[in-house]
Amino acid sequence: MQGETGFWARLRRRKVVQWALAYCAAAWAVLQGIGFVADAFGWPPATKQLATLALPIGLLVTLVLAWYHGDRGEQRFRTTEMAIIGLLLTVGGILLWQFQRANPSQGSASTTAAASRSVAAADIADRPSIAVLPFENRSDVESDEFFVDGMHDDILTQLTKVSGLRVISRTSVEQFRDSALPTRSIAERLGVSRILEGGVQRAGSRVRITVQLIDTATDAHLWAENYDRELTAENIFSIQSEIAVAVAAALETAVTPAERARVRALPTRDLAAWEAYHAGRTSLGRRTAASLAEAAEHFKRAIERDPGLALAYVGLADATWLQADYGGRPLAPAVAEAEQLLQRALGLDPELAEARVTLAKLAQDRREFDRAEALYRRAIELNPSYATAHHWYSQLLSFEGRDAEAHRSLQRAVELDPLSVLLQSALAWSLSGFGRFEESLAGFRKASEIDPSSPLPYEGMAAVHAWAFGRLDEALLLLEQAHRLDASVERTARMAQIHLELGDESTAAELLASVPHAGRTAATVSAYLHLYRGEHGAAVEQARVALQADPRNTAALALLRDAALAAGDVEAARASYARAFPELLAQDAPDLNFENFNAAIDLALVLQRGGERARAGVLLDKSEAQLRSLVRTGPWGYGLADVRIHLLRGQTAEALRALQEAQRASWRGPYWRYCRDHDPALAAIRSRPEFAAVFDAVEREVAGQRNRLARRSR
């Protein structure tokens, strides 16, 4: 007790407590001042964060000085004091360095070079936000609607080129065409503080455009202007650039010289070509097989009118490669054609953000991740309000296992286009990848409410019901609804797959007979249907067709592997993986990620059969590491991957426990009958009673669902 009294007496004598209180008060005032100045001059958030870290270090230094000099008034530092202060400063420096390493996009955001390296440094949510509502057609001619819509879309696009603004995408503002909602209500739904509205009147050879900028909090008009010009392409684009610069000025947002040049660029002198381009973008946004084909025709007509219209080549490239996803077109030739079109576009306009984004997506699909990331970042720098760039960039981040970054990038896309069915569905898909299945379903339902005519939300809900909850019957009903809205080849094939999982082979065969088998999903489902029927030759042939459409189709590749191993040709099985997944056989170290870990497990079995056990072990270890960030069930679930890994390591008990866990988690495939009857990786436990019990339970549940469907159809 006496010691404690003496210690506190020394603190009082040396005035340590007083110095600490005084320092804290001063530090608080300094932080407030830094915060005020940082907000006034737009300093990056890291300024305040670094100051907050630095000031506690200064407190420790102050306490040291007070302790040693508080009652002597000495000005000279002793060696001991210097050592302590030096140690504190060193520790503080290490802490700041670690903070900057962990937050590179913040710690270096004050320099232009660092900002260009980090997409996250530009925080979209902090920028002035604006929505450009569909313009009113003030002409008496109904056909002028298309011209008016084009003007609206152009002005919106010009504003997205100003990096200091957050501009809501066309898809979302289109929901408020002819809306009777008050401006403030529209702003709340779109998450903006300003709205630009206007009207267009075309009369003979002249055009009159009226625009006004509204502060949604007060309904005050911040700026308004009328433009009355002769109807020429030069005048139209001049008006658009003038409006973009004027709006930026009204919002006190700086426009850089480079942005001003991009805004003033003249894309075409042919108004008919420009109208055809806009018609193509409208069709492209609907994302159905028919609308994509229609979009391609519009873009081709625009190019015929003006071969120098760079954006039309980008639109045609998008329509071309997207038909592989939505229309069953073979992927490889579609991608090759799209890349040629994009190179033509960049030859006409090297700084075209839209072309860079699509090139990045195609590079990403070829696993050229570094090139894809550079293209995405440059595109976002050129057009930070381009929602598609953030959307597709999120997919790249997800493939690389950067899930948190991927989700944030997708959220940015949704902020820019909050009423987009496509983006709301993408966000729901992302939630399912985190195992947040109820939230995912809610997200898909929200997307469906935005546009009940879109098949995308129903397709997403079907995937969650089938692969997360094991409710194949519910999934089929949802897929049928999606199919009624857009009867594409891919959706027909997915319906056939669910019928196959339910054990209804005849209906699956009927559906497959109604579509060409050249599509990825159709050919794969057809291959497994033949396998279940014992038609091994036909199964292999359809697997080859599926691989022609998608060379990295792991489900089709597994069937070719099985056929090669059954024939005793291990080298042929190995060669098939070397062609499809060369990164898994790299000499230095295999490159595994979310997209290829299942192929790595399948390849490990081949390597073991060929005596390459060490290489197989590396693949299994890396695959197991991938599973730690994934969930078992769901559209992105790993299913029985851990069961296969255990068995390839000879861990039978662990494999059986994992299999039982999968069954309890409502795992139902995909291709659960292949796992039960054919998968060579599961051969070691196929005769075990635990294995039989799991698949008997799955079969009973599936039969019950099939019967419920039959009763509903009566």
Side-chain angles (χ1 to χ4, degrees):
M1 186 71 179
Q2 182 62 35
E4 180 179 350
T5 303
F7 173 74
W8 285 107
R10 292 169 70 189
L11 286 179
R12 287 195 301 272
R13 186 176 71 251
R14 296 167 187 254
K15 300 181 181 180
V16 173
V17 175
Q18 293 94 321
W19 274 100
L21 292 174
Y23 182 91
C24 290
W28 176 255
V30 169
L31 279 177
Q32 298 307 304
I34 290 175
F36 176 80
V37 175
D39 292 338
F41 290 94
W43 292 355
T47 305
K48 291 182 277 188
Q49 294 169 340
L50 290 172
T52 305
L53 285 175
L55 288 172
I57 298 169
L59 174 61
L60 295 176
V61 174
T62 300
L63 294 178
V64 170
L65 293 176
W67 178 262
Y68 280 96
H69 297 270
D71 62 347
R72 294 198 305 271
E74 295 180 3
Q75 300 302 315
R76 184 173 59 83
F77 288 101
R78 296 180 179 179
T79 303
T80 304
E81 300 164 20
M82 290 293 293
I84 294 174
I85 293 172
L87 177 63
L88 290 173
L89 292 175
T90 300
V91 171
I94 292 173
L95 289 174
L96 293 177
W97 176 69
Q98 289 287 349
F99 174 80
Q100 286 186 308
R101 279 189 64 197
N103 301 272
S105 62
Q106 296 177 6
S108 58
S110 59
T111 66
T112 303
S116 67
R117 290 194 300 268
S118 174
V119 176
D123 188 359
I124 293 172
D126 292 338
R127 300 172 186 169
S129 54
I130 183 171
V132 184
L133 296 185
F135 286 180
E136 179 185 351
N137 178 18
R138 293 175 180 167
S139 304
D140 295 331
V141 182
E142 186 176 344
S143 60
D144 282 350
E145 287 285 355
F146 211 70
F147 175 78
V148 174
D149 289 347
M151 285 296 303
H152 163 259
D153 195 33
D154 290 347
I155 291 171
L156 188 155
T157 301
Q158 296 291 56
L159 286 169
T160 67
K161 297 174 183 177
V162 180
S163 61
L165 296 176
R166 177 167 66 90
V167 185
I168 301 302
S169 295
R170 179 187 177 185
T171 311
S172 290
V173 297
E174 191 65 30
Q175 308 294 320
F176 300 99
R177 180 181 294 276
D178 302 323
S179 173
L181 285 174
T183 302
R184 186 173 301 182
S185 298
I186 295 174
E188 289 174 356
R189 291 192 61 184
L190 293 174
V192 298
S193 58
R194 307 288 191 274
I195 278 181
L196 184 72
E197 61 182 21
V200 180
Q201 182 176 6
R202 184 163 68 169
S205 61
R206 298 197 66 81
V207 63
R208 181 180 179 84
I209 302 172
T210 304
V211 286
Q212 53 188 2
L213 182 65
I214 301 170
D215 183 329
T216 58
T218 62
D219 283 333
H221 286 66
L222 302 176
W223 168 82
E225 189 60 82
N226 294 321
Y227 300 87
D228 195 338
R229 307 273 176 88
E230 184 181 355
L231 183 57
T232 65
E234 290 87 343
N235 284 341
I236 291 298
F237 295 121
S238 174
I239 292 171
Q240 294 165 6
S241 63
E242 288 175 32
I243 291 173
V245 172
V247 168
L251 297 178
E252 300 180 351
T253 301
V255 182
T256 68
E259 291 169 349
R260 194 179 297 269
R262 288 197 291 273
V263 166
R264 288 178 174 172
L266 185 68
T268 182
R269 297 180 185 276
D270 190 316
L271 284 178
W274 196 237
E275 290 184 357
Y277 166 74
H278 279 294
R281 297 305 305 186
T282 300
S283 298
L284 190 70
R286 291 199 290 270
R287 288 296 200 275
T288 66
S291 69
L292 290 171
E294 182 181 90
E297 292 305 313
H298 286 305
F299 292 130
K300 288 176 183 176
R301 187 160 57 254
I303 292 169
E304 289 172 1
R305 294 281 314 187
D306 182 1
L309 179 50
L311 282 168
Y313 292 96
V314 179
L316 183 55
D318 287 340
T320 299
W321 77 266
L322 282 170
Q323 286 183 72
D325 268 348
Y326 294 90
R329 181 174 179 177
L331 181 63
V335 168
E337 183 179 340
E339 287 188 319
Q340 291 179 356
L341 292 164
L342 293 168
Q343 294 300 338
R344 179 70 184 274
L346 287 173
L348 294 166
D349 184 354
E351 295 291 85
L352 193 58
E354 292 84 349
R356 290 177 179 271
V357 168
T358 302
L359 270 179
K361 181 68 169 72
L362 300 180
Q364 168 186 322
D365 290 346
R366 284 197 305 272
R367 299 182 53 79
E368 297 173 3
F369 293 154
D370 290 342
R371 177 170 178 256
E373 181 148 7
L375 285 165
Y376 280 132
R377 288 186 171 187
R378 177 57 179 155
I380 291 172
E381 183 182 338
L382 291 169
N383 189 342
S385 290
Y386 189 28
T388 300
H390 296 283
H391 175 201
W392 289 350
Y393 183 42
S394 73
Q395 296 175 352
L396 171 66
L397 294 170
S398 179
F399 278 140
E400 293 188 324
R402 297 152 65 183
D403 293 334
E405 291 179 75
H407 197 66
R408 285 195 297 272
S409 185
L410 188 52
Q411 286 176 317
R412 291 188 188 104
V414 173
E415 287 174 5
L416 292 166
D417 202 352
L419 298 182
S420 163
V421 174
L422 178 66
L423 293 180
Q424 286 290 351
S425 297
L427 189 60
W429 282 106
S430 177
L431 290 169
S432 74
F434 291 103
R436 295 157 62 178
F437 300 127
E438 293 295 345
E439 292 177 68
S440 176
L441 287 176
F444 284 123
R445 284 192 288 269
K446 179 179 179 180
S448 179
E449 290 168 2
I450 292 172
D451 183 5
S453 68
S454 172
L456 300 180
Y458 296 102
E459 206 165 39
M461 286 187 279
V464 173
H465 278 288
W467 314 127
F469 301 138
R471 291 301 305 271
L472 301 169
D473 53 344
E474 296 294 337
L476 184 60
L477 295 175
L478 289 161
L479 274 177
E480 288 173 348
Q481 176 64 17
H483 192 266
R484 283 192 289 271
L485 294 169
D486 179 28
S488 70
V489 171
E490 285 296 301
R491 292 190 180 96
T492 302
R494 292 188 187 110
M495 289 169 57
Q497 181 182 0
I498 297 298
H499 278 289
L500 190 62
E501 303 291 358
L502 286 165
D504 185 359
E505 295 180 5
S506 60
T507 303
E510 289 174 9
L511 288 168
L512 292 172
S514 69
V515 298
H517 288 181
R520 287 174 289 176
T521 305
T524 306
V525 176
S526 179
Y528 279 85
L529 173 61
H530 285 299
L531 178 70
Y532 297 164
R533 288 177 165 179
E535 302 161 355
H536 295 279
V540 169
E541 183 58 34
Q542 283 300 309
R544 290 197 178 102
V545 173
L547 284 175
Q548 288 174 359
D550 179 8
R552 295 171 72 89
N553 183 331
T554 55
L557 195 59
L559 297 188
L560 295 183
R561 175 203 62 179
D562 296 351
L565 292 179
D569 195 346
V570 175
E571 187 55 39
R574 189 187 193 279
S576 64
Y577 283 93
R579 287 190 297 271
F581 295 94
E583 71 276 7
L584 298 181
L585 291 165
Q587 289 299 321
D588 47 356
D591 179 17
L592 266 75
N593 59 25
F594 165 80
E595 182 240 2
N596 66 5
F597 75 90
N598 270 310
I601 299 170
D602 291 343
L603 173 59
L605 184 147
V606 176
L607 295 175
Q608 285 186 355
R609 296 280 182 91
E612 298 180 77
R613 304 195 69 84
R615 188 188 287 270
V618 172
L619 291 178
L620 294 175
D621 291 343
K622 286 181 171 285
S623 297
E624 185 177 49
Q626 283 290 321
L627 302 191
R628 299 189 188 113
S629 61
L630 303 175
V631 294
R632 181 183 296 280
T633 59
W636 315 118
Y638 61 79
L640 301 187
D642 56 341
V643 180
R644 295 184 174 93
I645 291 172
H646 286 310
L647 287 172
L648 291 173
R649 287 173 172 166
Q651 300 166 339
T652 302
E654 292 87 341
L656 287 170
R657 281 197 295 271
L659 180 63
Q660 291 165 336
E661 178 187 308
Q663 186 265 321
R664 289 193 296 269
S666 299
W667 173 83
R668 301 290 182 269
Y671 304 118
W672 65 270
R673 291 169 63 190
Y674 168 78
C675 299
R676 182 189 66 184
D677 302 328
H678 302 281
D679 189 347
L682 304 181
I685 58 172
R686 193 160 281 126
S687 61
R688 295 287 295 263
E690 300 96 321
F691 183 94
V694 164
F695 281 97
D696 285 348
V698 171
E699 187 163 25
R700 284 194 301 273
E701 175 59 30
V702 167
Q705 294 181 25
R706 188 172 62 247
N707 292 334
R708 284 195 292 273
L709 280 172
R711 288 195 295 272
R712 288 178 184 175
S713 63
R714 291 171 186 166

